[in-house]
Amino acid sequence: MSTKRIRMTDTITAASIAHRFYVQGRSKLEIAEEFGISRFKAARILAAAQETGLIRIEFDLPVPVDLPMSDEVRAAYGLRRVLVLNRAESKADRPELRRRIGSLAAQLLTELATTDDVIGLAWARSVNAMAEAVDSLPKCPIVQLCGVQAGMDMRDRSVETVGRVAAVGGGDPYPIYGPLVLPDRRTTDILRKQPGIAETFDQFQHLTKAVVSIGAWRPGESTVYDALTPSERDSIGRRGATAEIAARLFDENGNALSTGLAHHVLAITHEQLRQVPEVIALGYTEPKAEAIDAVLRSGIVTTLITDAVAAERILELAAERPPE
């Protein structure tokens, strides 16, 4: 049985066509006219050149992003953009992984932000890491999206994060000098009417971009979860809480979850978040995969930044139960 031999002249012709297309940037129509072939044959020659390994296309991205996996997650959930930290960069302990996710978020925010923006920041360690990495921003308002978690180190509190980011561009900061979780609805209503807090809440309607973190309804994975008593956590868990962003809860299908908690947190509402044109969500590590999946199903998030391990599990969840 004979094996068909590829002629040297055909190989040289294919290489010449590929060089014109990929290096010189000439169109298939121009190449076809030069070589006296149809545009469709030129396209077939280019495709065959890739299949046989005659030409190889490589991407040398300036950021450590897994491009194919990013595209898969983006397509699965219909997002505007997804940045998946590549596998090598994802192999780090949680503090270092947080720093790397924050660095990606800082670079993205720097590139997207304009002087016309009003940018909201939710409290989270990953958002704090982003704030540490931001070195350039246009002059625009920076708005705190939820109150301060009790017991946090001052440098890690959202008030300081908002101040640091605002100082980079010289824009006005709008902090919330109040706790994240309050004892009752009456206290919440009183604080929301305080001049400084009311001024910040008024900015929610003007937000054009927001950076939030995705929390899972489990110990150590959600700011709100950790701020509640065990009985409150269990009660909300039985209601179907799966995920949290900016102190607002979601069930596994991405539906906004209405609980008594909604009336005693100082935070932006589900509806106000949904009105923000660009919501950048930071969600990483495999334990948060179900929560990330839930939040992406809500339709609130436009951009996701995650790691390769979490992304693999997210894609499995999307395959098992395709998002609508």
Side-chain angles (χ1 to χ4, degrees):
M1 183 176 180
S2 62
T3 302
K4 185 177 179 181
R5 182 178 178 182
I6 300 176
R7 300 197 312 166
M8 180 182 68
T9 52
D10 291 340
T11 301
I12 292 173
T13 298
S16 298
I17 289 173
H19 186 270
R20 284 163 172 72
F21 184 73
Y22 290 107
V23 178
Q24 296 179 359
R26 296 172 63 182
S27 71
K28 292 174 184 176
L29 181 58
E30 291 175 326
I31 294 169
E33 290 176 349
E34 178 183 348
F35 283 83
I37 57 178
S38 71
R39 178 168 57 88
F40 302 104
K41 184 171 183 179
R44 288 197 298 271
I45 290 172
L46 287 169
Q50 288 188 56
E51 292 171 2
T52 59
L54 175 62
I55 59 172
R56 293 182 296 276
I57 300 174
E58 298 179 352
F59 295 92
D60 187 14
L61 294 175
V63 288
V65 169
D66 186 317
L67 187 60
M69 193 175 289
S70 297
D71 279 342
E72 281 189 71
V73 176
R74 181 195 57 75
Y77 292 92
L79 301 176
R80 187 172 299 158
R81 66 180 68 81
V82 172
L83 302 178
V84 175
L85 195 66
N86 66 33
R87 191 166 299 281
E89 291 286 318
S90 297
K91 293 179 179 178
D93 59 24
R94 181 166 284 210
E96 177 59 21
L97 181 57
R98 182 186 305 129
R99 187 193 68 77
R100 294 173 183 178
I101 292 289
S103 179
L104 271 181
Q107 186 170 340
L108 179 64
L109 184 63
T110 298
E111 293 177 2
L112 294 181
T114 72
T115 53
D116 295 326
D117 279 321
V118 177
I119 299 173
L121 301 181
W123 185 89
R125 291 183 176 88
S126 55
V127 178
N128 292 345
M130 181 202 73
E132 295 283 358
V134 170
D135 58 10
S136 175
L137 272 184
K139 186 176 181 180
C140 59
I142 307 296
V143 183
Q144 187 174 331
L145 299 183
C146 50
V148 179
Q149 183 186 14
M152 296 304 302
D153 180 86
M154 285 300 294
R155 185 164 180 77
D156 282 337
R157 290 186 176 185
S158 47
V159 171
E160 282 66 38
T161 298
V162 166
R164 286 200 303 271
V165 176
V168 171
D172 293 328
Y174 288 87
I176 296 176
Y177 288 101
L180 175 64
V181 181
L182 294 156
D184 52 55
R185 184 169 187 166
R186 181 173 179 274
T187 305
T188 305
D189 290 340
I190 291 172
L191 280 179
R192 283 181 179 174
K193 294 175 183 176
Q194 295 301 305
I197 294 176
E199 185 181 25
T200 296
F201 270 63
D202 185 59
Q203 290 296 316
F204 293 164
Q205 64 184 311
H206 304 300
L207 293 171
T208 58
K209 291 181 174 64
V211 183
V212 300
S213 177
I214 299 174
W217 200 248
R218 55 196 298 177
E221 303 292 352
S222 164
T223 304
V224 178
Y225 184 100
D226 294 339
L228 300 179
T229 65
S231 61
E232 289 173 321
R233 298 168 186 167
D234 292 342
S235 175
I236 292 172
R238 287 193 295 271
R239 298 284 296 275
T242 300
E244 170 257 321
I245 54 173
R248 297 305 175 183
L249 306 180
F250 300 84
D251 67 16
E252 64 177 2
N253 296 313
N255 298 315
L257 199 61
S258 178
T259 68
L261 178 66
H263 302 300
H264 57 105
V265 293
L266 284 176
I268 189 170
T269 66
H270 288 102
E271 294 76 17
Q272 288 169 326
L273 265 177
R274 193 174 294 280
Q275 295 304 312
V276 181
E278 177 76 63
V279 177
I280 301 168
L282 316 184
Y284 56 101
T285 72
E286 195 276 337
K288 286 188 177 181
E290 281 75 12
I292 297 169
D293 170 70
V295 169
L296 296 185
R297 291 173 189 272
S298 74
I300 288 176
V301 172
T302 56
T303 294
L304 173 69
I305 301 179
T306 189
D307 66 287
V309 177
E312 281 188 344
R313 179 57 184 149
I314 294 166
L315 287 170
E316 289 175 359
L317 292 169
E320 293 167 6
R321 198 163 55 95
E324 296 180 359

